[in-house]
Amino acid sequence: MTTAKDIMHTGATWIPAHETLDRAAQMMRDHKVGALPISENGDQDRMIGILTDRDIVVGCVAMGRDPSKTTAGDLAQGTPRWIDTEAGVEAVLEEMQSHQIRRLPVVENKKLIGMISEADLAQHLSDDQIAGWAEKVYSRS
């Protein structure tokens, strides 16, 4: 059985909740990622959210807020979703589809060890699986 660990990419980079969004954008650029898990007070054992490039644009810039004064924690909302390394691909797809999310942190022994993104799915799943996933994640219902 293919697991979350098999399809994830390693090296997820954390951003502390107190860090500003301009710094977050720089980190995303430097690490070539579109999302960063947000840690509570630099404690990398407690994820309080995920910050995406879209969050910075829509939740800060488009609202007329200053990214050098707005923090990652200011945009953290809801319950962060994640999946265990041993979860099968169907569980990964279900978690992402049911919450309409495009990136999913992968956890092993309560520690973040990687992320699953759309690119990871595209590399490891069939065209039919990708099409079904996209239909559910991008639908407005």
Side-chain angles (χ1 to χ4, degrees), residues 75-136:
L75 296 188
Q77 56 185 342
T79 303
R81 308 308 307 176
W82 55 271
I83 196 101
D84 187 82
T85 55
E86 296 306 311
V89 170
E90 292 303 321
V92 169
L93 294 174
E94 175 58 30
E95 185 69 17
M96 294 174 86
Q97 290 166 347
S98 65
H99 297 286
Q100 292 188 307
I101 56 177
R102 298 176 187 115
R103 298 168 182 102
L104 186 62
V106 180
V107 174
E108 183 175 66
N109 298 321
K110 299 184 181 181
K111 301 273 187 200
L112 177 74
I113 64 162
M115 294 276 277
I116 296 173
S117 67
E118 291 171 283
D120 299 314
L121 295 178
Q123 290 177 353
H124 294 92
L125 302 180
S126 71
D127 290 345
D128 288 342
Q129 286 175 306
I130 296 292
W133 174 85
E135 181 179 342
K136 291 178 182 161

Side-chain angles (χ1 to χ4, degrees), residues 7-98:
I7 64 173
M8 71 175 196
H9 61 272
T10 59
T13 302
W14 290 89
I15 185 162
H18 67 270
E19 196 65 71
T20 59
L21 298 184
D22 59 342
R23 179 66 185 126
Q26 293 165 0
M27 290 174 68
M28 288 180 189
R29 177 200 62 210
D30 294 347
H31 294 284
K32 296 179 175 72
V33 297
L36 299 168
I38 305 169
S39 65
E40 183 177 58
N41 301 321
D43 174 11
Q44 295 186 358
D45 287 339
R46 176 144 158 64
M47 182 173 48
I48 62 167
I50 296 179
L51 179 68
T52 67
D53 47 8
R54 186 174 191 282
D55 293 334
I56 295 170
V57 172
V58 174
C60 179
V61 177
M63 301 299 286
R65 297 167 74 184
D66 184 348
S68 69
K69 294 186 172 119
T70 306
T71 67
D74 292 338
L75 296 188
Q77 56 185 342
T79 303
R81 308 308 307 176
W82 55 271
I83 196 101
D84 187 82
T85 55
E86 296 306 311
V89 170
E90 292 303 321
V92 169
L93 294 174
E94 175 58 30
E95 185 69 17
M96 294 174 86
Q97 290 166 347
S98 65

